[in-house]
Amino acid sequence: MAEENKWKSREDDGEQEEDEELDETAFRNAKDAVLFAIEVSPSMLTAPPPTDSKKADIDTPTSAALKCAYSLMQQRIISNPSDMMGILLYGTEKTKFQGQEQARGGLAYPHCYLLADLDIPAAGDVKALKTLVDDEEESQKLLVSSKGSVSMANVLFCANQIFTTKAPNFASRRLFIVTDNDDPHEKDKALRSAAAVRAKDLYDLGVIIELFPISRPDHEFDRDRFYNDIIYNSSPADPEAPAPTSGPTKTSSTADGVPLLNSLLSSINSKAVARRALFSNLPLEIGPAFKISVKGYIIFKRQEARRNCYVWLNGEVAQIAKGVTTQMADDTARTVEKGEIKKAYKFGGEQIAFTPEEVASLRYFGDPGIRIIGFKPLSMLPIWANLRPSTFIYPSEEEYVGSTRVFSALQQKLLKDEKMGLAWFVARKNAAPVIAAIVPGAEKLGEHGEQLIPPGMWIIPLPFADDIRQNPDTSLIRAPEPLVDMMRVVIQQLQLPKAQYSPEKYPNPALQWHYRILQAMALEEDIPEQPEDKTIPKYKQIHKRAGAYVVDWGIELEQQYQAWAKENRGTALGRKRPASGDDGAAAKKQKTTNAGTIDTNEMRAHFDKNNISKLTVTVMKGWLDKKNLDTNGKKAELVERIEGFFERK
């Protein structure tokens, strides 16, 4: 896990940031390199037995793994164009490695075939992989398992060579191993030991090894037999970071089994994005002179389409044009140097200038850190109190030894007593402090035992008094009990599976449509006619499950309305009661001649209450005209002009 944003200040040409948000620029732009290592063995090339079910597996494990790599490459080429990706097949009859002659010292890697070298995916790479996935004849020529065994130490050393030569300075480097063989060196202790040494070399290099095991119908994959000795549960760059493990993916031989391709896709997509620290080694003060260190992570982040850019096409190679901003004086049009500019804030119609030192002192509220100021019942945290996205924190041993043990004790105690901590939170230097709730979080596991959310704690920024706005005026209408009871049945019929919202089932349709169009244009494919939107309600199922109950509820609503109308005759909904008058007709509101005028005392009262902006533009222009002031401009300018009039007095 790469640490992309220390809590120490980040300066840009000597100028400090003014916003109070965490700087996520480096977090988003960190590069990632992923290398697939897919085994090609007789069992991995064996297709499941044919069945009549449409849900049963039709792909061999190797073919399913290649399709997963193709799917991930499609995503990366658009959503993360700076990331690298490669595919290494091992156990093949053919051997190929970076042109073979480039191997270190002329050393070959037998039975290792570098299908796609580790590099930024191009449209040609995606097309070539798509051809291999779709063309059975082409895949049968290449996917031929070797007669002899392949050494895992050799595979890991080959991966080491690839990462060293192609991605030496990447913040995140990961090796995805897809195999169904849980003990490749069952009877050879020397090869097992050599593989462990090569795995340790990768770990020291900063490479994370992720295992995607496949269980066959007649054999359950067992990590303890070999892979637990070569795969480390922690990241080399961040040993204390939460590291979930993947449960074994099973092939389905029956109609109700989970298809292998879907299982692999789900498992790989969950680890497609590298875990990166948002801030590192931030002190968490539990009491006076009692501190531990924690790191913060973004677990949930809104995915957005990447910004477009300007491209210069007049050269031999297309290049991205970079914009440059230059400050110029308005009167002389000369270039203004950065040292000549001062920051100013508007107050009372005047510009109050500050030196950089004064600005820094205004924004300094102490060193970054989290200081617990008390504890409250978790039930006192209202649902509306989430001012900004929460941050997941996890202990770190780098600054204070024993942080993990203290952090775990605090998290378990808060969970047991259903309490939360209130804390003073300064995320980074010069950031505005916030009052935050520290909420404990329990570990969450998936259906196959894989870890979805690690145990830890969440920092939820809470609003200040200035952030709470006035509630709108609402009128409460209470429905009769029969209507409430009948609607309860409708809601029960329309509940989600397991009564939970599962976000992985609902991709963002606008984002996916954007990527799909770009992919079709880049790969010269047919443009799809319409997007695949899984958020559209399934109307037929809704009608089948709740249609009759909704109709009954509508009939009951009509009956309840008729009964209410009889009791409240003359005040039925949709009718206006006539105003009092001699002829009983509704009295019309007369326009006043002085509707657009207001005297100085009344305007002064509005100024004192700070609600001049609530007046109409006509009223403000009429008052300004009586004072011989300029009446041109938008409403905000009129408000500013009136406020300046009273501030100068």
Side-chain angles (χ1 to χ4, degrees), residues 250-425:
K250 300 181 180 180
T251 60
S252 63
S253 57
T254 59
D256 57 348
V258 179
L260 174 64
L261 178 60
N262 293 341
S263 301
L264 266 180
L265 275 174
S266 175
S267 182
I268 289 176
N269 285 337
S270 66
K271 297 187 178 183
V273 179
R275 300 184 304 275
R276 301 185 177 107
L278 185 61
F279 54 77
S280 301
N281 302 325
L282 200 68
L284 170 59
E285 183 178 346
I286 302 176
F290 183 20
K291 296 180 180 180
I292 62 175
S293 57
V294 295
K295 295 185 178 182
Y297 303 92
I298 292 181
I299 303 295
F300 305 101
K301 177 68 178 175
R302 177 178 173 82
Q303 184 72 23
E304 298 177 351
R306 296 187 65 89
R307 294 180 57 187
N308 55 4
C309 57
Y310 295 100
V311 181
W312 184 62
L313 300 175
N314 292 335
E316 296 181 358
V317 181
Q319 299 181 20
I320 297 178
K322 296 182 179 180
V324 178
T325 302
T326 303
Q327 304 285 348
M328 300 184 67
D330 192 23
D331 52 352
T332 61
R334 71 175 182 87
T335 302
V336 179
E337 300 297 331
K338 202 167 190 178
E340 302 179 66
I341 301 175
K342 288 188 177 181
K343 295 183 180 180
Y345 295 91
K346 194 171 184 179
F347 183 81
E350 298 181 5
Q351 300 287 349
I352 311 300
F354 293 88
T355 63
E357 293 76 15
E358 291 172 334
V359 173
S361 64
L362 285 173
R363 294 165 52 199
Y364 181 73
F365 287 88
D367 292 331
I370 308 169
R371 184 170 69 248
I372 295 180
I373 57 179
F375 298 93
K376 291 288 184 181
L378 197 56
S379 58
M380 294 185 66
L381 181 64
I383 188 65
W384 49 263
N386 292 353
L387 190 64
R388 290 200 299 272
S390 55
T391 303
F392 182 79
I393 58 174
Y394 208 75
S396 168
E397 295 283 334
E398 294 184 20
E399 294 293 330
Y400 300 96
V401 178
S403 295
T404 303
R405 182 172 298 179
V406 176
F407 184 92
S408 176
L410 177 61
Q411 183 254 359
Q412 293 180 37
K413 181 62 176 176
L414 292 177
L415 268 179
K416 180 181 178 182
D417 295 350
E418 297 183 351
K419 301 280 188 180
M420 67 173 179
L422 290 178
W424 172 269
F425 177 39

Side-chain angles (χ1 to χ4, degrees), residues 10 18 147 184 186 201 233 253 301 329 351 360 367 388 396 423 425 487 568 579 591 611:
R10 307 178 68 91
E18 293 186 8
K147 297 179 181 179
E186 183 178 2
D201 292 341
N233 287 332
S253 57
K301 177 68 178 175
Q351 300 287 349
D367 292 331
R388 290 200 299 272
S396 168
F425 177 39
M487 181 54 69
N568 301 271
K591 292 184 178 180
N611 61 1

Side-chain angles (χ1 to χ4, degrees), residues 459-572:
I459 295 182
I460 302 177
L462 301 179
F464 289 106
D466 314 72
D467 304 322
I468 301 176
R469 300 185 178 183
Q470 187 176 2
N471 293 330
D473 295 331
T474 57
S475 57
L476 180 62
I477 300 177
R478 197 174 295 277
E481 288 298 326
L483 281 177
V484 175
D485 295 337
M486 296 181 70
M487 181 54 69
R488 183 179 295 111
V489 177
V490 175
I491 298 301
Q492 290 173 350
Q493 294 296 319
L494 297 179
Q495 279 201 3
L496 292 170
K498 299 182 181 179
Q500 290 183 347
Y501 169 70
S502 182
E504 61 267 14
K505 295 182 179 180
Y506 304 100
N508 185 338
L511 193 65
Q512 295 301 321
W513 180 241
H514 173 78
Y515 287 163
R516 186 68 186 90
I517 294 295
L518 288 181
Q519 173 189 322
M521 297 181 67
L523 303 182
E524 298 178 355
E525 299 175 347
D526 294 334
I527 303 296
E529 296 181 357
Q530 59 183 7
E532 181 184 3
D533 189 356
K534 294 186 178 181
T535 63
I536 296 177
K538 298 178 180 180
Y539 297 107
K540 291 184 178 180
Q541 293 186 13
I542 292 175
H543 177 71
K544 183 178 179 180
R545 298 183 63 177
Y549 297 105
V550 173
V551 172
D552 293 341
W553 184 86
I555 296 173
E556 180 66 23
L557 174 63
E558 180 65 24
Q559 294 175 355
Q560 292 288 340
Y561 170 74
Q562 295 297 339
W564 177 87
K566 289 181 180 179
E567 296 177 0
N568 301 271
R569 190 175 301 277
T571 59

Side-chain angles (χ1 to χ4, degrees), residues 549-613:
Y549 297 105
V550 173
V551 172
D552 293 341
W553 184 86
I555 296 173
E556 180 66 23
L557 174 63
E558 180 65 24
Q559 294 175 355
Q560 292 288 340
Y561 170 74
Q562 295 297 339
W564 177 87
K566 289 181 180 179
E567 296 177 0
N568 301 271
R569 190 175 301 277
T571 59
L573 293 176
R575 293 179 56 190
K576 295 183 179 179
R577 288 180 292 179
S580 58
D582 296 338
D583 56 356
K588 294 185 178 179
K589 194 173 182 180
Q590 300 295 329
K591 292 184 178 180
T592 58
T593 57
N594 60 345
T597 61
I598 188 172
D599 60 24
T600 303
N601 292 333
E602 289 178 305
M603 187 63 78
R604 164 67 75 173
H606 285 293
F607 172 76
D608 293 338
K609 295 179 181 179
N610 197 24
N611 61 1
I612 293 179
S613 58

Side-chain angles (χ1 to χ4, degrees), residues 16-82:
Q16 297 168 327
E17 299 177 5
E18 293 186 8
D19 60 324
E20 62 183 51
E21 300 287 344
L22 283 172
D23 181 14
E24 299 175 6
T25 305
F27 174 85
R28 292 193 300 265
N29 294 338
K31 295 181 180 180
D32 183 31
V34 174
L35 176 66
F36 275 85
I38 303 173
E39 184 178 13
V40 180
S41 63
S43 59
M44 289 285 286
L45 294 175
T46 302
T51 63
D52 297 333
S53 173
K54 295 181 180 180
K55 297 182 179 180
D57 287 329
I58 59 174
D59 298 307
T60 66
T62 299
S63 177
L66 286 172
K67 288 183 179 180
C68 290
Y70 169 67
S71 176
L72 184 60
M73 185 177 288
Q74 283 181 304
Q75 299 172 17
R76 289 295 179 94
I77 197 173
I78 296 175
S79 60
N80 302 88
S82 299

